[in-house]
Amino acid sequence: MCQLLGMNCNVPTDICFSFTGFQARGGATDIHKDGWGIAFFEGKGVRLFLDPLPSASSPVAELVRHYPIRSLNVIAHIRRATQGSVGLENTHPFQRELWGRYWIFAHNGHLPDFQPELNGEFLPVGQTDSERAFCWLLQELRRCFGEQMPDAASLFGCLHELTLDLAGHGQCNYLLSWGESLVAHCSTRLACIERQAPFAEAHLKDQDLSVDFQEVTSPEDRVAVIATTPLTDNETWRILEPGTLCLFQDGCLTREAATLAGPFNPLTGGLAR
């Protein structure tokens, strides 16, 4: 199972603390060794770091861990390959342009029978089902809204309908952002936490590291962190129910919608068929 990490904030914030724990899951505290990547939105631009090496031993990951890039939306991924070779072309997160802005997508799961017809506007470069699903999502968003980008609420409504389709094809945990908001879908496993005043100390599960957020934040700051499993062991994380689509804006979870198209099967991690 791959690992996902996302952050959505109301003021530009660095993700060094969370990424320190997340990085260890790529070959140190977990078995995911098939590459990793992270994307930071900065204004209309995106800093994207990709490496097919395990994140726990990647020099690029070490750079990111010590580089306090401040961003409103961040998406990171640690890969365990199920489709496609280990290489940069198959390393998440993936990036495309739509409506004059960058979109970033990372996926954890398996969509073995998802073979949508793509019209050529967005095409996969690698061989993963994840990139194919991303291209299809963007294609269908353009089909739905044409040349005019809608507001976040309308986008979320369309993404809900599209995710209902994806969820019927297998495991589909994903993070998606266009730089203003972040959408997270829990198909099997995903957790989140919203940090705001009064801030407290947090301690990582995967590394012996703590930070007192009261010392590095202001009372107005709000930060939402989303991960496959909780990153800290002394905070209360919300474990999302399988079949939940969430919209995060300004560091808060603002919308939710159910996406299970049938009864969830805990033995297979998917829908009962």
Side-chain angles (χ1 to χ4, degrees):
M1 188 177 191
C2 301
Q3 295 278 329
L4 295 171
L5 170 64
M7 183 178 73
N8 169 264
C9 320
N10 69 333
V11 295
T13 305
D14 77 70
I15 200 172
C16 293
F17 175 72
S18 294
F19 185 76
T20 297
F22 186 70
Q23 177 195 8
R25 298 181 176 183
T29 61
D30 216 326
I31 59 175
H32 311 84
K33 298 182 179 181
D34 299 324
W36 71 278
I38 187 168
F40 301 84
F41 282 92
E42 294 183 68
K44 289 189 174 182
V46 172
R47 290 187 201 239
L48 180 60
F49 298 86
L50 302 172
D51 194 349
L53 293 176
S55 60
S57 58
S58 165
V60 182
E62 281 298 298
L63 167 68
V64 170
R65 185 161 72 93
H66 293 98
Y67 188 4
I69 301 171
R70 295 185 177 274
S71 175
L72 292 175
N73 289 280
V74 178
I75 290 178
H77 181 274
I78 295 173
R79 186 176 183 228
R80 185 180 182 188
T82 56
Q83 290 190 33
S85 60
V86 176
L88 278 176
E89 71 274 18
N90 292 319
T91 304
H92 308 219
F94 300 106
Q95 175 179 300
R96 294 292 192 279
E97 178 275 330
L98 174 62
W99 293 315
R101 63 178 60 237
Y102 291 118
W103 292 64
I104 296 291
F105 178 85
H107 168 245
N108 162 29
H110 194 40
L111 301 168
D113 63 342
F114 186 64
Q115 298 290 338
E117 181 178 343
L118 298 177
N119 62 19
E121 288 183 285
F122 306 96
L123 295 174
V125 175
Q127 303 84 45
T128 65
D129 53 347
S130 306
E131 189 181 18
R132 187 163 59 247
F134 181 35
C135 290
W136 177 78
L137 281 173
L138 295 185
Q139 171 185 290
E140 295 308 301
L141 286 175
R142 186 188 288 278
R143 190 195 307 272
C144 181
F145 298 109
E147 299 303 315
Q148 185 68 38
M149 183 170 178
D151 59 27
S154 299
L155 266 175
F156 184 76
C158 185
L159 282 169
H160 177 226
E161 294 299 318
L162 297 174
T163 304
L164 284 170
D165 192 338
L166 280 179
H169 291 272
Q171 296 182 24
C172 187
N173 306 287
Y174 74 72
L175 300 177
L176 172 70
S177 180
W178 54 98
E180 293 181 354
S181 307
L182 189 149
V183 173
H185 180 239
C186 175
S187 173
T188 54
R189 193 180 346 175
L190 209 59
C192 68
I193 187 168
E194 297 175 49
R195 296 189 180 113
Q196 57 187 352
F199 293 97
E201 183 177 276
H203 179 265
L204 292 174
K205 294 175 63 175
D206 298 88
Q207 300 269 30
D208 187 13
L209 181 67
S210 298
V211 64
D212 186 346
F213 284 114
Q214 188 171 352
E215 297 179 353
V216 295
T217 58
S218 69
E220 295 77 27
D221 292 357
R222 293 192 307 273
V223 179
V225 178
I226 306 98
T228 299
T229 58
L231 292 166
T232 58
D233 54 18
N234 66 335
E235 296 181 291
T236 301
W237 288 67
R238 176 185 171 186
I239 307 302
L240 296 176
E241 289 291 327
T244 304
L245 186 71
C246 300
L247 176 67
F248 293 87
Q249 298 174 292
D250 295 324
C252 297
L253 200 170
T254 58
R255 292 177 182 267
E256 294 183 54
T259 60
L260 274 184
F264 181 73
N265 186 338
L267 297 178
T268 64
L271 301 178
R273 299 188 183 278

